[in-house]
Amino acid sequence: MMKISMFIFPQITQRKSLLVAAILILAALLAVKLTPTMHAVNTTPDIDSIIPVEFGDWKQIADPFTQVGLTTGGNDLASQLYDKVVMRTYANKNGDRVMLAIAYAREQKQDIKIHRPEVCYVAQGFQLLSKTNNTMNLFEARPVKASRLLVSNQNRYETVSYWIRIGDDYPVNGMSARLKILGDGLKGKVLDGVLVRVSTAVSSPAGAEEAYKGQEEFVKNLIGSVQASKRSLFISN
């Protein structure tokens, strides 16, 4: 009886081992097959030169304030997440000021993707008072799915308008961004992404609506001043 048992158990163990090995090999083959290989962009665009320092009635000025960082850890981690970051302040002849922040990354992945401004502001001590969705019509491109924020930090109020482009889409939340990255990743595509954020300080929440309108007009003029062949970096055709 002992001899039979010793003969059977090794056979069962061997079969299980072969099955596990087969599953591991299949998983490895699928991982290779599903790994994205086609990059949307092969080189990092020179956003500093693409975005003009002066356009229409707007001109770049020295930053009077340090802008809120583009990551949950402030600006220190930005260079690790993004291939290019541009942060400027513009003023017009009326003395109106708009802060512009652009973050670009050639590769968007599930674990490394553009941080949403509402998360960054809260992580850096601001209170999120409101968030609303907005649609911007910029030229002949598809309408841009944007968001508006109203945040505060002690006695400081700030209005924020932004959009995130990932590939050819504008995900409005973290889940839609993950699904976009996953869907195109299964097709073998590595998507690029960009965040375009404009913000304005206001004395009280009552001035938010006027500030949002001014920000939308600002980005229309801004994108309009960009060379036509370069606009797809910021907006999807």
Side-chain angles (χ1 to χ4, degrees):
M1 192 67 171
M2 180 63 68
K3 291 181 179 181
I4 296 175
S5 298
M6 291 177 64
F7 178 75
I8 293 175
F9 282 119
Q11 281 190 320
I12 296 175
T13 303
Q14 186 178 21
R15 288 172 184 168
K16 286 184 177 180
S17 298
L18 290 174
L19 179 59
V20 171
I23 292 174
L24 291 175
I25 293 172
L26 179 60
L29 291 173
L30 287 174
V32 172
K33 179 68 175 177
L34 296 177
T35 298
T37 56
M38 296 181 293
H39 286 73
V41 179
N42 293 319
T43 58
T44 301
D46 185 8
I47 300 178
D48 274 311
S49 62
I50 294 174
I51 297 295
V53 297
E54 186 173 355
F55 59 93
D57 194 29
W58 297 94
K59 185 176 182 179
Q60 183 183 359
I61 63 171
D63 291 330
F65 303 105
T66 299
Q67 289 197 46
V68 170
L70 294 164
T71 71
T72 53
N75 289 324
D76 296 337
L77 295 176
S79 60
Q80 300 178 30
L81 293 175
Y82 307 123
D83 295 296
K84 186 64 180 178
V85 170
V86 173
M87 303 183 83
R88 299 176 183 173
T89 298
Y90 289 83
N92 61 16
K93 295 178 180 178
N94 297 326
D96 301 320
R97 293 180 177 180
V98 174
M99 292 175 284
L100 170 69
I102 297 175
Y104 177 81
R106 287 179 53 239
E107 296 185 6
Q108 292 294 287
K109 301 178 181 179
Q110 293 294 344
D111 54 337
I112 303 176
K113 57 184 179 297
I114 290 175
H115 287 200
R116 307 196 76 83
E118 57 266 34
V119 179
C120 298
Y121 271 87
V122 171
Q124 294 172 61
F126 281 77
Q127 180 183 0
L128 179 62
L129 302 180
S130 67
K131 176 186 177 182
T132 56
N133 294 328
N134 180 43
T135 300
M136 295 184 183
N137 294 303
L138 305 178
F139 306 97
E140 298 178 357
R142 292 191 297 112
V144 175
K145 297 177 182 177
S147 297
R148 290 174 171 177
L149 310 177
L150 176 62
V151 297
S152 68
N153 187 352
Q154 297 180 349
N155 295 325
R156 174 181 172 83
Y157 293 94
E158 197 167 306
T159 54
V160 183
S161 295
Y162 79 88
W163 72 82
I164 293 176
R165 177 192 63 74
I166 295 181
D168 59 357
D169 198 13
Y170 302 105
V172 295
N173 53 49
M175 180 57 70
S176 56
R178 288 182 180 278
L179 291 175
K180 175 61 178 175
I181 295 170
L182 175 62
D184 281 69
L186 292 174
K187 300 174 184 177
K189 297 179 181 179
V190 180
L191 304 176
D192 70 334
V194 65
L195 162 70
V196 180
R197 186 189 80 187
V198 291
S199 53
T200 310
V202 292
S203 58
S204 71
E209 196 60 36
E210 183 177 352
Y212 292 138
K213 292 178 181 178
Q215 290 170 359
E216 185 164 347
E217 191 64 28
F218 173 86
V219 294
K220 285 182 179 179
N221 292 333
L222 173 68
I223 301 300
S225 68
V226 173
Q227 185 178 348
S229 61
K230 304 293 185 181
R231 288 176 190 160
S232 60
L233 177 63
F234 309 103
I235 56 178
S236 176
N237 295 324

